[in-house]
Amino acid sequence: MSTPPTSKTPAKKSSNPIPNKERMKMPRQHMPEALPQVRNKQFTEVNLGYSAELARQEALRCIECAKPTCVTDCPVGVKVKDFVQLIVDGDYLGAAAKIREDNVLPAITGRVCPQEDHCEGGCLLNKKGQSLGIGYLERFVADYEQQHFDVSKIVKAAPTGKKVAIVGSGPSGLTAAGDLVTKGHKVHVFEALHEIGGVLVYGIPEFRLPKAIIRQQVDYMRAMGVEFETDVVVGRTITIDELMEEEGYDAVFIGTGAGLPQFMGISGEHLNGVYSANEFLTRINLMHAYEFPKYDEPMVDFRGKNVAVIGGGNTALDAIRSSLRLGAGKAFILYRRSEAEMPARIEEIKHAKEEGIEFQVLAAPLEFLDDGKGWLKGARCQKMELGEPDLSGRRRPVPLPGSEYEIPLAVAIMAIGTTANPIIQTTTPGLATTKKGYIQADDTTQKTSRRGVFAGGDIVTGGATVILAMGAGRRAAKSIHEFLASGEW
Amino acid sequence: MFKILNAQFIAPGIKRFVIEAPRIARKQRPGQFVIIRVNETGERIPLTIEKSDPEKGTVNIVVQSIGKTTHLLNSLETGDSILDMVGPLGKPSEIEKFGTVVVMGGGVGTAMAYPTASAMKRAGNRVITIIGGRNKDLVLLESEMREVSDTVFVTTDDGSYADKGLVTDKLRQLIENGTRIDLVLAVGPIPMMRAVADMTRKERIKTMVSLNPIMIDGTGMCGGCRVLVEGKSEFACVDGPEFDAHRVDFAILVQRNAMYREAEKRSMENYQHEVEQKKTAAPAEDEVACALEGKK
């Protein structure tokens, strides 16, 4: 009962002909990229992907550690060393199958994972130079699979007769769905929006993660037997209790993701031209506002205007790089700490700088200024310095007295995080929540306070990354399977 | 896809659709709304639910042609489909026995007010309904409202039907006559709701309004529908759409709703141009049908 086919290659001696010492001297293969001055005007993908030749060259750098930290540092435990060896062998479909044993969304993680925090972070090659390009290799293998693997060959697992509802089709939900369907459970995914993918679709721009890639990964899951239903807001259209009592689901996984966008609570946030990053990115990504008037969703005119994004995470960088592509005259990040504390991926910061994004760090807005007609005309800002570390371990920004200054702005986009979405919590009696309103779930089993109900991803942890949400989906799938098999809570 | 089982103009430019949507029909409560997307390139817009039939699995929506999307929607006929419809969204109206409830509907807002009026009556309230429109044709759901109200007043701006004046004139009369009012619910154009709020604030009559800000996902995710309520940001899709009228900053609502005026105008012009081109290409029988249907 194996859905996607597992690699036929058993663990074996490396076929890599290069001595380990030599491997450590080989330079990391660069990811081919669109030119900064071309790509900053269009929404097509920035990274172009390794060729088979580049992939092999890079794979040959792996020194095949006895205790690979790349595997243990991966939130879903991808067997990096094994799949890299399969690339060396030229068995790309085998490599894809090896990744799929632990990760149902390889073409996505290969593009958006912060590898430096996980697999590549502990890579021993870092000591001599640069880590192995694990993300790039994963992307290569996944893209190769999309072009060469016939999904009709997927063998479906024998049905267990159990039904699982997945609420939300973002990274945690898709991961849980993929893992559960391979166990033979009937899996039905509910999505509130009109497209499958959650934050992958509405949050991450085309130039970083093309929609076609998401669709292909979702089609693969359909071929595995996962059912999808759009336009269902669980909590409104149907409740968790109705799913279990009336529609006969034996278990439910809640992976509804990041919640309501936060604002700073400063004066002028209601002016026209002030957006939440969620709204701005949803208009661009889900609704194609950058293709107006071919698509109906409108966007304010960015051409030649000053645009600032407030925040320093991946969302902030996605928003500011999208602004540039809409024709912003000057696009900059306004971040209250320094660049070292930015939570964004290193590659995104590099790409943003190449494209001409300005970074104004150690600065934050105090108020947004009205042009007298209800539109934003600027911001009054304040400079900061770094003080003692706060709860997050990062040094706390402290306002510098007398450092206030004004900047002209036509658009300001707030990318300062989210708070818990209350829809499910308020419509599911007995579902315990944290002080901040997130769903309480066990760290290892993802069990909530309600029997048969599991939760994971941002709705449990607050805003985090795609791969951390996937890790939660994976843990949930494991314990859902155990629950369905044993009936014990 | 959501199938249109019936589509009929109930006033010039205002169409009622009966749509097959069993999940929504089962859960809809007064005060809630849906978001629709007509086709692949369409925008998402919130629309009023007039009523639903859980047995038949149908939801009625009432749509006034204003911009491109509503014109496009109103060009659809029985048997056509709407690509996406999601709901019911927002918090339901608070229904309890308040005593005397005045329900006010302006134009197409009457469709949103109707299920609440009906529920208020069932909850044992005395329901006084005031509905109005610019002219006789734009007074909606009068007979439906009569069925669920103790008293119905109708106003038209131009006096072409019933009492000449605004719905607020009628409310003022009720207040001046010393009618005891425990709650006012007003749904309609922003100037109307603002005028009601100003009038009842002085009288300290609890007043609820149903707001219609720009909205995309309708689940709280985007924050586009934020309204300023006593200096605090609230999201109409999850905290509303009904709010205490005396706490709402209407000026900001008006300003934010005008944010895309230029783009909306352009979309509308493009759409009209397309329709014109189609007409010249094939002389329209549906135009005749439309004209015939256009009257009640």
Side-chain angles (χ1 to χ4, degrees):
Chain A
M1 47 175 249
S2 65
T3 327
T6 45
S7 160
K8 289 174 205 89
T9 327
K12 59 167 175 113
K13 269 281 171 216
S14 166
S15 59
N16 191 337
I18 302 168
N20 255 357
K21 264 191 180 171
E22 294 302 311
R23 294 186 207 175
M24 297 181 88
K25 290 181 196 154
M26 292 165 69
R28 176 167 158 138
Q29 296 300 313
H30 288 292
M31 167 59 75
E33 295 166 352
L35 289 173
Q37 294 319 310
V38 175
R39 71 184 194 231
N40 68 9
K41 294 172 188 65
Q42 58 195 28
F43 278 84
T44 48
E45 201 176 5
V46 169
N47 283 349
L48 304 174
Y50 276 166
S51 61
E53 184 49 38
L54 282 176
R56 185 180 151 77
Q57 280 301 111
E58 183 62 23
L60 285 169
R61 293 179 64 224
C62 177
I63 52 173
E64 300 167 59
C65 306
K67 285 183 186 162
T69 54
C70 47
V71 181
T72 47
D73 288 349
C74 173
V76 296
V78 168
K79 298 173 196 85
V80 176
K81 186 175 137 184
D82 297 353
F83 95 74
V84 171
Q85 288 317 301
L86 287 161
I87 297 176
V88 172
D89 295 342
D91 181 4
Y92 305 137
L93 285 181
K98 184 55 74 183
I99 297 173
R100 279 193 176 275
E101 288 175 14
D102 304 288
N103 174 6
V104 288
L105 306 169
I108 293 167
T109 49
R111 286 171 164 83
V112 303
C113 243
Q115 285 92 5
E116 64 265 24
D117 297 336
H118 302 291
C119 55
E120 295 181 14
C123 178
L124 282 185
L125 291 178
N126 273 321
K127 296 201 168 130
K128 292 281 172 184
Q130 276 190 296
S131 74
L132 185 66
I134 299 168
Y136 296 163
L137 289 172
E138 180 178 48
R139 173 195 156 126
F140 165 74
V141 165
D143 288 357
Y144 182 90
E145 181 198 45
Q146 296 206 349
Q147 285 157 24
H148 296 92
F149 181 69
D150 175 5
V151 293
S152 69
K153 284 187 186 155
I154 296 171
V155 183
K156 288 182 192 169
T160 60
K162 302 284 185 187
K163 274 171 74 175
V164 185
I166 306 283
V167 183
S169 69
S172 71
L174 290 180
T175 300
D179 280 2
L180 287 163
V181 84
T182 57
K183 301 285 190 199
H185 305 303
K186 189 173 155 65
V187 180
H188 193 92
V189 180
F190 294 95
E191 167 57 47
L193 295 171
H194 56 258
E195 261 197 67
I196 299 297
V199 70
L200 305 169
V201 168
Y202 74 73
I204 303 180
E206 185 77 16
F207 57 82
R208 210 148 72 79
L209 177 60
K211 303 291 164 285
I213 298 287
I214 303 166
R215 273 185 219 116
Q216 283 165 341
Q217 300 277 282
V218 169
D219 285 344
Y220 192 106
M221 298 192 67
R222 279 203 180 90
M224 289 166 79
V226 177
E227 292 169 6
F228 292 95
E229 185 175 348
T230 53
D231 296 331
V232 177
V233 180
V234 172
R236 294 266 192 247
T237 315
I238 188 162
T239 63
I240 300 282
D241 286 301
E242 286 163 347
L243 284 173
M244 300 185 82
E245 283 157 25
E246 292 167 27
E247 303 220 349
Y249 287 98
D250 301 291
V252 177
F253 173 73
I254 305 169
T256 46
L260 321 182
Q262 272 190 312
F263 290 90
M264 293 177 72
I266 59 177
S267 162
E269 277 179 314
H270 284 78
L271 291 171
N272 292 358
V274 181
Y275 283 101
S276 76
N278 275 9
E279 181 188 356
F280 171 72
L281 289 170
T282 300
R283 283 180 183 274
I284 296 286
N285 301 328
L286 178 71
M287 305 308 298
H288 296 254
Y290 65 96
E291 295 183 76
F292 180 87
K294 186 182 154 201
Y295 283 78
D296 293 332
E297 196 74 49
M299 179 61 84
V300 300
D301 192 351
F302 276 54
R303 286 171 298 177
K305 309 260 179 75
N306 278 9
V307 179
V309 171
I310 291 85
N314 287 317
T315 306
L317 289 185
D318 284 343
I320 199 62
R321 293 172 70 198
S322 296
S323 301
L324 200 62
R325 285 158 171 81
L326 290 175
K330 188 177 157 192
F332 58 96
I333 286 280
L334 210 55
Y335 182 54
R336 62 195 183 126
R337 304 181 206 244
S338 79
E339 201 179 306
E341 286 81 26
M342 279 194 177
R345 290 177 77 216
I346 290 168
E347 187 181 41
E348 307 313 326
I349 296 174
K350 167 185 162 281
H351 280 163
K353 284 186 174 168
E354 288 168 359
E355 288 168 10
I357 306 290
E358 203 183 288
F359 284 68
Q360 283 191 21
V361 296
L362 293 167
L366 291 172
E367 74 170 310
F368 292 114
L369 308 170
D370 191 337
D371 74 346
K373 295 175 205 145
W375 285 82
L376 179 69
K377 73 160 186 191
R380 194 162 60 83
C381 301
Q382 184 171 42
K383 291 194 172 141
M384 303 280 178
E385 62 182 353
L386 291 178
E388 294 302 306
D390 62 12
L391 287 176
S392 74
R394 297 174 299 174
R395 293 179 65 193
R396 186 194 306 271
V398 183
L400 274 173
S403 67
E404 293 176 19
Y405 65 103
E406 277 186 22
I407 46 172
L409 276 185
V411 178
I413 301 170
M414 313 304 287
I416 54 168
T418 55
T419 56
N421 189 315
I423 292 180
I424 289 194
Q425 294 87 314
T426 52
T427 54
T428 313
L431 188 67
T433 56
T434 66
K435 260 186 217 154
K436 287 183 171 176
Y438 293 102
I439 297 175
Q440 258 181 30
D442 184 89
D443 289 344
T444 38
T445 63
Q446 306 301 134
K447 282 181 182 174
T448 68
S449 59
R450 284 282 308 266
R451 184 185 164 87
V453 180
F454 302 75
D458 286 4
I459 193 60
V460 171
T461 58
T465 61
V466 167
I467 189 66
L468 289 174
M470 289 174 63
R474 191 113 224 263
R475 291 191 296 277
K478 184 168 175 280
S479 70
I480 290 170
H481 178 62
E482 284 164 9
F483 167 67
L484 294 177
S486 68
E488 279 169 32
W489 184 247
Chain B
M1 294 287 258
F2 293 81
K3 194 157 188 211
I4 299 169
L5 301 180
N6 193 280
Q8 247 172 343
F9 280 101
I10 57 170
I14 300 177
K15 207 167 188 176
R16 172 193 281 135
F17 295 90
V18 180
I19 299 170
E20 189 174 62
R23 284 197 194 277
I24 303 173
R26 254 189 70 193
K27 295 291 287 185
Q28 182 259 333
R29 298 289 174 271
Q32 293 186 300
F33 61 94
V34 289
I35 283 183
I36 62 103
R37 189 175 69 129
V38 181
N39 57 26
E40 270 306 322
T41 55
E43 60 180 343
R44 295 169 65 102
I45 59 161
L47 289 172
T48 293
I49 303 175
E50 178 206 8
K51 63 176 174 188
S52 54
D53 186 331
E55 311 272 285
K56 291 186 187 148
T58 58
V59 172
N60 290 15
I61 57 172
V62 174
V63 184
Q64 182 168 28
S65 304
I66 297 169
K68 176 193 169 170
T69 302
T70 45
H71 274 90
L72 180 64
L73 192 54
N74 281 353
S75 74
L76 299 182
E77 303 288 348
T78 304
D80 290 340
S81 290
I82 295 171
L83 186 56
D84 295 288
M85 180 156 107
V86 62
L89 300 169
K91 283 187 187 163
S93 308
E94 257 179 66
I95 306 290
E96 56 181 270
K97 190 166 174 184
F98 293 96
T100 298
V101 178
V102 175
V103 176
M104 303 176 70
V108 78
T110 306
M112 187 90 177
Y114 166 70
T116 307
S118 174
M120 287 294 187
K121 180 69 194 166
R122 284 198 304 276
N125 291 288
R126 175 179 172 223
V127 175
I128 301 172
T129 293
I130 311 172
I131 54 175
R134 282 204 313 278
N135 56 46
K136 181 175 191 244
D137 288 336
L138 295 172
V139 173
L140 302 182
L141 308 181
E142 185 186 341
S143 61
E144 286 89 340
M145 279 299 204
R146 286 198 184 278
E147 279 172 30
V148 300
S149 313
D150 294 273
T151 315
V152 174
F153 297 103
V154 180
T155 62
T156 49
D157 297 10
D158 65 356
S160 57
Y161 178 63
D163 292 351
K164 183 175 175 5
L166 303 171
V167 285
T168 41
D169 296 337
K170 208 35 106 176
L171 178 66
R172 182 181 297 116
Q173 278 176 24
L174 287 177
I175 293 170
E176 282 170 0
N177 290 344
T179 311
R180 183 199 153 98
I181 303 171
D182 298 292
L183 175 75
V184 173
L185 169 81
V187 193
I190 298 172
M192 166 209 152
M193 294 192 286
R194 175 152 54 180
V196 171
D198 289 343
M199 196 175 286
T200 58
R201 184 179 289 115
K202 284 176 244 153
E203 309 296 329
R204 301 206 174 152
I205 301 169
K206 181 177 173 176
T207 301
M208 300 300 288
V209 286
S210 181
L211 304 184
N212 56 339
I214 289 171
M215 207 174 270
I216 306 178
D217 64 295
T219 66
M221 183 273 287
C222 86
C225 67
R226 63 191 188 274
V227 287
L228 205 54
V229 179
E230 238 163 39
K232 211 178 128 245
S233 255
E234 299 214 18
F235 295 170
C237 67
V238 287
D239 303 317
E242 285 179 16
F243 291 95
D244 180 340
H246 301 151
R247 300 171 62 220
V248 169
D249 188 327
F250 286 100
I252 285 195
L253 182 62
V254 171
Q255 165 216 307
R256 288 185 57 80
N257 275 2
M259 192 155 163
Y260 298 103
R261 194 169 284 155
E262 286 302 310
E264 283 159 1
K265 208 174 130 207
R266 198 172 148 201
S267 270
M268 189 59 206
E269 284 164 3
N270 289 352
Y271 175 70
Q272 279 168 330
H273 183 68
E274 275 170 39
V275 172
E276 283 306 313
Q277 277 189 326
K278 265 188 206 155
K279 269 189 197 161
T280 24
E285 359 174 322
D286 51 72
E287 203 184 354
V288 182
C290 261
L292 286 174
E293 245 181 29
K295 277 301 214 174
K296 269 196 254 196

